Amino acid sequence: MAKIIVITSGKGGVGKTTTSAAFASGLALRGYRTVVIDFDVGLRNLDLIMGCERRVVYDLINVIQGEAKLQQALIKDKRCENLYVLPTSQTRDKDALTSEGVTAVMDELRTEFDYIVCDSPAGIESGALMALYHADEAIVVTNPEVSSVRDSDRILGILAARSRRAEQGEEPVKEHLLLTRYSPKRVEGGEMLSLQDVKELLRTPLLGVIPESEVILQASNQGIPAIHMENSDVAEAYKDVVARFLGEERPLRFIHPVKVGFFKRLFGG
Amino acid sequence: MANPRSPGTETSAPLRVSGGVFTLSILHLESNNPQQLAQRIAEEHQRHPAAADFHRHAPVVLDLSAIPEEAPLALTEILNVLRAADWFPVGLRNAAPRHQALAQDLNLPVLRGQDRNAAPQPETPAPAQSVSTSPGGLTIDHPIRGGQRSYARGGDLVCLAAVNAGAEVIADGNIHVYGPLRGRALAGVNGQDSARIFCMSLEAELISVAGLYRILESDHPLWGKAAQIYSRDEQLHITALTL
């Protein structure tokens, strides 16, 4: 029986889709059969980040409306053996997502996969509610700034009240906090909230810290999930996140400013 | 043409009537027997000469809640006893309709006090509608997030975690927050002005007790500290929780 994980945040532009792509790829690299679903109907992005945009024929909405079979809409990832992408529609709007339809798709996927990763749209409207409704666990993506933290707080409240687990009185959705676009140097300069500030404000177990990096932009533009960017701190950080999610102990990295040595500064190494 | 502004109209300003609130002594009449009253006053003044001084020329309102409606009332004699003791009886309250008519005959005002039917029963105080002990309380052991609202109807609200910015905790009774209180807290929303808010770290956006409210900024001297908020004399007070 698959575990359903929603990647959510409330606020837009914090790194939900980047995280969905990297996290799902990471699970697949560990050998788990994984599917990642784009719930952002009308603003289809996940296929771009995964580099499969030219292979989309059918999408989630087609499946929900009965125009295609699930197997026709699932796109096999070109880098990971065990990873599938379920894209969404670019031309429809989020009203095309019906709760019965989403439930049917989830039930079907549950039997075939180990992990179902749901990439939530921003906001707290129906699209986001659909994405989080079936979740067993949630990764709340937050940037170290106050508006993002506040929106994450809001979405954590909604998770606790509006998910299927909450409605049916089951054990609550397991919450994880993922801090992205973290720049230790700017934290030191007082421009960003620190890790401690965010933890203190949200009081949710920390799954990891992804440093601010140009590598993310390069990865997005090339359609490569960031976890595949070899020798980058971003890829390492996402690998740590996956490991911690699977229950392994990993120390936090990339949370202190890099000390530039004297000679390196002198000779610009 | 005669000048319409005659000297008479110029000086006749309207009568000045304004409201005022006075503190008056209330004498709770124990029986309808004037002799007994005289004796009781004499005893009292003998035992406490200072009391006699204090009562001298003091205006006093007679409370008749202990006098049954059917009992005869020698109001004139009772007033004479009081005047002999240097009191100034100025009115009655909690009087039965029959006794009220007697007072009107003597041009003595009947003051509005508590309803006679709800007269106090000193022996067995009515079971107080104490919200704090009622079973309607609410205990929450997870953080209350922005946009969430928790209401403890008819009781206290206890939150063992944080109340985050944008969240609202509401109670008919007291509110206890053992994590940081960063949202809004409204205690005694049904008018219970003895309700209080207790928190281990005061960072609230807004606090309110029984309809009185104030907003808080981070420059408050108790910001981030353990504090309690209560209402007294129509004002909200914030004091440190020092235990």
Side-chain angles (χ1 to χ4, degrees), chain A residues 150 153-154 156-158 160-161 175 200-204, chain B residues 143-148 162 164-166 179-180 182 205:
Chain A
R150 173 165 295 196
D153 191 55
R154 182 89 169 92
L156 281 163
I158 290 171
E175 300 161 350
E200 161 67 21
L201 284 165
L202 290 176
R203 302 190 164 217
T204 299
Chain B
I144 305 178
R145 307 286 185 182
Q148 289 185 316
N164 278 349
R182 302 192 179 110
E205 294 166 340

Side-chain angles (χ1 to χ4, degrees), chain B residues 23-26 54-61 86-91:
Chain B
T23 304
L24 297 174
S25 302
I26 297 169
F54 180 75
H55 291 146
R56 183 158 296 132
H57 308 309
V60 63
V61 175
D86 272 346
W87 300 61
F88 280 142
V90 295

Side-chain angles (χ1 to χ4, degrees), chain A residues 175-194:
Chain A
E175 300 161 350
H176 307 274
L177 177 65
L178 181 66
L179 203 52
T180 56
R181 308 188 69 166
Y182 194 73
S183 165
K185 219 173 131 192
R186 292 177 67 188
V187 170
E188 218 172 43
E191 296 168 56
M192 276 185 174
L193 292 179
S194 73

Side-chain angles (χ1 to χ4, degrees), chain A residues 138-186:
Chain A
I139 297 178
V140 177
V141 182
T142 305
N143 288 168
E145 48 110 5
V146 281
S147 59
S148 173
V149 170
R150 173 165 295 196
D151 290 0
S152 294
D153 191 55
R154 182 89 169 92
I155 209 82
L156 281 163
I158 290 171
L159 272 167
R162 309 276 299 268
S163 65
R164 183 190 60 83
R165 282 174 170 267
E167 278 183 6
Q168 304 196 349
E170 291 174 24
E171 204 177 308
V173 176
K174 190 171 175 194
E175 300 161 350
H176 307 274
L177 177 65
L178 181 66
L179 203 52
T180 56
R181 308 188 69 166
Y182 194 73
S183 165
K185 219 173 131 192
R186 292 177 67 188

Side-chain angles (χ1 to χ4, degrees), chain B residues 19-213:
Chain B
V21 178
F22 302 91
T23 304
L24 297 174
S25 302
I26 297 169
L27 180 66
H28 296 269
L29 210 58
E30 294 162 330
S31 79
N32 58 351
N33 184 340
Q35 282 81 39
Q36 195 189 336
L37 178 64
Q39 201 187 335
R40 296 275 285 138
I41 292 175
E43 277 171 22
E44 194 74 15
H45 284 180
Q46 205 169 6
R47 227 178 323 153
H48 304 290
D53 269 355
F54 180 75
H55 291 146
R56 183 158 296 132
H57 308 309
V60 63
V61 175
L62 277 178
D63 185 303
L64 299 189
S65 46
I67 310 298
E69 171 149 25
E70 59 284 356
L73 191 68
L75 195 55
T76 317
E77 278 84 75
I78 288 174
L79 295 179
N80 285 338
V81 166
L82 289 172
R83 287 181 184 126
D86 272 346
W87 300 61
F88 280 142
V90 295
L92 289 190
R93 74 162 199 184
N94 286 335
R98 262 187 56 209
H99 302 156
Q100 287 182 16
L102 286 175
Q104 266 160 18
D105 291 344
L106 293 168
N107 290 329
L108 193 66
V110 177
L111 303 176
R112 268 199 299 172
Q114 290 155 299
D115 188 13
R116 180 167 174 94
N117 296 332
Q121 295 126 8
E123 310 296 320
T124 52
Q129 286 290 332
S130 168
V131 192
S132 58
T133 56
S134 85
L138 183 63
T139 304
I140 298 163
D141 55 5
H142 53 79
I144 305 178
R145 307 286 185 182
Q148 289 185 316
R149 175 186 268 185
S150 291
Y151 175 29
R153 190 183 298 276
D156 287 3
L157 187 143
V158 179
C159 180
L160 297 163
V163 176
N164 278 349
E168 240 176 48
V169 282
I170 308 167
D172 287 341
N174 304 314
I175 293 175
H176 305 256
V177 182
Y178 293 97
L181 171 56
R182 302 192 179 110
R184 300 167 161 225
L186 298 96
V189 288
N190 257 347
Q192 169 107 352
D193 56 9
S194 62
R196 294 184 182 210
I197 300 167
F198 305 92
C199 58
M200 299 311 287
S201 179
L202 178 66
E203 299 162 44
E205 294 166 340
L206 179 144
I207 49 173
S208 160
V209 174
L212 294 171
Y213 73 92

